[in-house]
Amino acid sequence: MKLYTPREEEEERRKGVSTKLGLRPYYPWNMKKKLTKSDLGHQSRLLLSKDLIDEYVKPVMSVDSFDKIQSMEGLKVSVWDYDTDSVQNEMVFKKWPSSNSSYVFIQSWRNDFVKRRNLQAGDEIAMFWNASYSRFNFRVLNKNSAIPPAAPKF
């Protein structure tokens, strides 16, 4: 192992490189979202931004699978619920047809997650594509603890 002088460390810093090795903690829950009313409504869909998908899913998903997401049919996916240790198998993931900036989970989102997990507007969820199992992993990070004010009594 080489010990660097302060001058050598400064030179690397100025060049924007580093030859030092270090360990970073692995935190896979990189696609985070605060749920909105539209994510919870009767249309049974969860919208995710294109930026999240381009950064965290596209680089680790197979080209064939990503091509299916771009199609009208989408890709049938399983979603593992980390909190309940259960797998939901009927969701479809695809590019949202009316928007070039969104992707969507459809079909059983409302029943398998919103109702079953009692999700509310303001709850924060996280997901990631698990390439080893070819499925999304899901968890609830924070439940919205805001209680609406009681109606005034007259």
Side-chain angles (χ1 to χ4, degrees), residues 29-33 48 52-53 56-57 125-127 136:
W29 303 100
N30 43 30
M31 295 189 327
K32 298 177 186 176
K33 180 171 186 184
L48 294 174
L52 285 175
I53 303 309
Y56 298 116
V57 177
I125 64 165
M127 300 179 84
F136 279 95

Side-chain angles (χ1 to χ4, degrees), residues 7-136:
R7 183 177 179 184
E8 290 171 322
E9 288 181 1
E10 176 61 22
E11 183 179 345
E12 283 189 349
R13 189 193 61 74
R14 279 189 286 111
K15 291 179 179 178
V17 299
S18 176
T19 55
K20 291 184 178 182
L21 293 177
L23 295 175
R24 292 186 315 172
Y26 177 66
Y27 185 78
W29 303 100
N30 43 30
M31 295 189 327
K32 298 177 186 176
K33 180 171 186 184
K34 273 201 178 191
L35 297 176
T36 64
K37 287 182 182 180
S38 67
D39 295 319
L40 307 168
H42 67 279
Q43 294 178 328
S44 189
R45 66 176 187 214
L46 171 66
L47 289 172
L48 294 174
S49 76
K50 180 183 184 306
D51 293 340
L52 285 175
I53 303 309
D54 286 348
E55 185 171 353
Y56 298 116
V57 177
K58 188 176 183 179
V60 294
M61 183 178 270
S62 74
V63 173
D64 290 341
S65 293
F66 200 78
D67 285 346
K68 287 181 183 174
I69 292 169
Q70 307 300 315
S71 72
M72 289 301 292
E73 297 82 33
L75 176 69
K76 286 193 176 213
V77 294
S78 295
V79 180
W80 179 62
D81 187 331
Y82 173 86
D83 302 314
T84 63
D85 193 20
S86 61
V87 177
Q88 311 306 315
N89 291 310
E90 297 298 321
M91 295 187 46
V92 173
F93 183 58
K94 67 181 196 171
K95 188 163 180 112
W96 189 237
S98 63
S99 170
N100 283 330
S101 61
S102 298
Y103 287 81
V104 65
F105 285 94
I106 59 172
Q107 286 190 351
S108 62
W109 162 249
R110 183 167 165 77
N111 287 334
D112 289 349
F113 289 92
V114 175
K115 288 183 177 180
R116 184 177 62 85
R117 297 294 310 275
N118 192 29
L119 298 175
Q120 305 291 321
D123 290 351
E124 185 179 21
I125 64 165
M127 300 179 84
F128 70 93
W129 176 252
N130 186 328
S132 297
Y133 291 96
S134 295
R135 69 182 182 200
F136 279 95

